[in-house]
Amino acid sequence: MRLKLQGPLAVAWVLLSICAVAAGPATADLITFDLGNGNSFISGYAGPYVQVTVNRTSSTAATITFDSLTNGGNIYLMGDGGTVGLNVNGAYTVAAGGLTGTTTFGVSPPPYSNGGAAILAGFGLFNLTINSTDSYADTSTELVIHLTLDAGAWADAASVLTPNNLGLEAAAHIFVSSNPPVNGGGPLAVGFAAGDGSSNPQCTNGATNYPACDNQNRNVAEPTSLALLSLGLAGLGFARRKQ
C-alpha cells in the first residue's frame, strides 16, 4: 500500500523534510570558561588570563584548548613546567600526536610533553599537566590537547573535566608580557592562574557568569532548524484537520 500525499498534507511533508535536512547533525558540544584566579605573583595584573575551551567531539573523545588572553597592554603567555593543568574526569589517554599549539616566537616544533599528575602552585593537584621548556622564548599563545576516555562515556562537554581537591578544573603557568611580546626581552611577572569551569566565562550573549552564559552547552538544535520544525508540525496539524 502506497500513501499518496496531496494538498496540505504534501506541503507539511515537504516542510518536515526540509527541516530534517537543515537541522543536520547537532552543533559542537562545547563549553568555554576563563582562568581568572591569579596567584599572588600575577594578581596585580588584571585577569582573566587564559580562555579554556572544552569540545567533546564524541562520547569518548574531547579536544581542550587553552588560549592566551590580553588585558590592556599585556598578554598572558603560557610556558615552563606545568604550562597547563587539567583535572580530567575518568581514566584518559592523550591521543598520539595530541599536543599541539602556537608558540609565541615561532619555535617549531612546540616543546610540549605530558607531565602526568602534579600540584600547581597553590591550586592543588591536577591529574594531567603539560610541560614546556623553562624559557620565555618557548612560551605559547595556544595549547591544544586531544584526549580519549579509556572506559565509560562523557555525557557532555561539562563532564569532561571535574573539580580537583580545591574545586578547580584547569590552571596555567602564566608569563605576563607586553603586548605584543618582544623576543629577547623577558616577562613582567610569572605565576599561575586557575579556574573552576564556571566563573568568568567568555559568553556570546555578553553575560559574565554561568548559568546566564548562553554557550555553556551548544549541543542543541539551531534556532532556524527549530523554526522549520515548528512550521512543519503546524502544517501537518492543519492537514489532519482538513482531512
Side-chain angles (χ1 to χ4, degrees):
M1 177 179 178
R2 298 179 61 185
L3 178 62
K4 187 175 182 180
L5 302 178
Q6 294 180 333
L9 188 59
V11 173
W13 183 261
V14 169
L15 288 171
L16 285 170
S17 300
I18 292 174
C19 174
V21 172
T27 54
D29 177 16
L30 60 86
I31 59 171
T32 59
F33 63 93
D34 290 345
L35 306 185
N37 182 12
N39 67 6
S40 60
F41 294 101
I42 62 170
S43 59
Y45 298 89
Y49 306 93
V50 170
Q51 178 181 275
V52 180
T53 300
V54 181
N55 184 3
R56 188 191 69 127
T57 55
S58 76
S59 62
T60 58
T63 299
I64 302 174
T65 304
F66 289 74
D67 285 302
S68 294
L69 297 177
T70 60
N71 195 304
N74 299 319
I75 183 170
Y76 302 120
L77 309 174
M78 298 169 284
D80 199 4
T83 298
V84 299
L86 303 169
N87 211 54
V88 183
N89 185 16
Y92 65 88
T93 299
V94 177
L99 297 177
T100 60
T102 303
T103 51
T104 306
F105 301 112
V107 177
S108 181
Y112 304 126
S113 62
N114 186 341
I119 294 174
L120 298 186
F123 291 121
L125 177 68
F126 294 87
N127 61 17
L128 172 60
T129 59
I130 306 301
N131 297 330
S132 184
T133 61
D134 183 14
S135 168
Y136 177 64
D138 287 334
T139 53
S140 299
T141 54
E142 181 180 74
L143 202 160
V144 183
I145 306 166
H146 301 276
L147 298 175
T148 56
L149 188 62
D150 295 342
W154 288 314
D156 51 30
S159 64
V160 174
L161 301 181
T162 189
N164 70 358
N165 58 313
L166 295 183
L168 300 166
E169 294 187 359
H173 198 179
I174 303 298
F175 286 62
V176 181
S177 175
S178 59
N179 186 25
V182 179
N183 194 1
L188 303 174
V190 179
F192 281 87
D196 62 6
S198 62
S199 60
N200 303 316
Q202 297 288 310
C203 299
T204 58
N205 65 347
T208 57
N209 221 321
Y210 291 136
C213 183
D214 67 351
N215 62 351
Q216 183 175 7
N217 193 323
R218 297 181 182 177
N219 191 18
V220 294
E222 296 177 356
T224 302
S225 302
L226 292 174
L228 285 170
L229 179 60
S230 299
L231 185 60
L233 291 173
L236 185 58
F238 174 76
R240 293 185 65 179
R241 285 197 299 273
K242 290 284 290 183
Q243 290 184 338

